[in-house]
Every structure is written in C-alpha cells, then in structure tokens.
Amino acid sequence: MEDALRDFMSKSRLKPRLTEVRIQENWEQLMGKTISRYTENIQLIDSKLHITTTVAPLKQELSYSKDRIIKLVNEMLGETVVREVIIR
C-alpha cells in the first residue's frame, strides 16, 4: 500500500504543492526563529525556491546562504527538489 501511494504521489500534479507545504512547515526548524519570523512567503516553482522578505539585511544574508539553503531543504526532503533559490 505504501509503495502504491508513493508511486501515485510521484506521478501526481499534487506533489510540487505538497513539497512546498512541507518546506513551509519545516522552515523555522531549517533556518531558525529569527529568519522564519521575517520571511513573508516561501514558494516552490519549477525547482526554484522563492523566498520573500522586506528586510534588507535578511535579503543580503539569504543571498550569501543560497547553497546552504538548497542543501538543508533537499536533505530535509530526502531528495533533490530545490535547484535554485531566488530572494525577493
């Protein structure tokens, strides 16, 4: 049953949205409370993680940490989903 469900999810159009929700739910654990508090929106679009914040110093910090963010998110998901991070 588990294999059938996993196979269905991998072929389903729902998978990207469910992956995005998993990232949003675990964002605070991945990045910490401070970054989480000032992050307004997180979206996963075509293997690109879009992070929205209005705090300029945080934008700078996130820009320097793009590779780390990709690594942390992909490790949490257990597969390579995020290939690029875009800070807005």
Side-chain angles (χ1 to χ4, degrees):
M1 184 68 169
E2 182 181 338
D3 292 335
L5 184 58
R6 187 176 295 128
D7 188 44
F8 169 75
M9 290 305 298
S10 68
K11 295 176 183 174
S12 172
R13 293 185 327 205
L14 295 174
K15 184 176 181 183
R17 177 65 183 130
L18 291 173
T19 303
E20 181 179 311
V21 170
R22 284 183 61 199
I23 294 169
Q24 291 169 349
E25 288 177 347
N26 291 294
W27 187 247
E28 184 175 328
Q29 290 177 329
L30 292 171
M31 300 306 296
K33 287 185 178 189
T34 304
I35 291 175
S36 176
R37 183 179 306 134
Y38 295 108
T39 303
E40 294 178 5
N41 194 13
I42 302 166
Q43 292 180 304
L44 183 63
I45 303 170
D46 297 328
S47 298
K48 297 176 186 174
L49 188 64
H50 296 259
I51 303 169
T52 306
T53 183
T54 57
V55 180
L58 180 57
K59 284 182 184 180
Q60 187 81 14
E61 180 68 30
L62 292 173
S63 293
Y64 291 136
S65 302
K66 286 182 179 182
D67 291 335
R68 181 175 163 261
I69 293 169
I70 292 170
K71 181 181 175 200
L72 288 171
V73 171
N74 286 335
E75 284 178 358
M76 183 268 301
L77 295 171
E79 60 183 312
T80 303
V81 174
V82 177
R83 300 191 190 285
E84 185 178 346
V85 173
I86 299 171
I87 311 298
R88 298 191 246 167

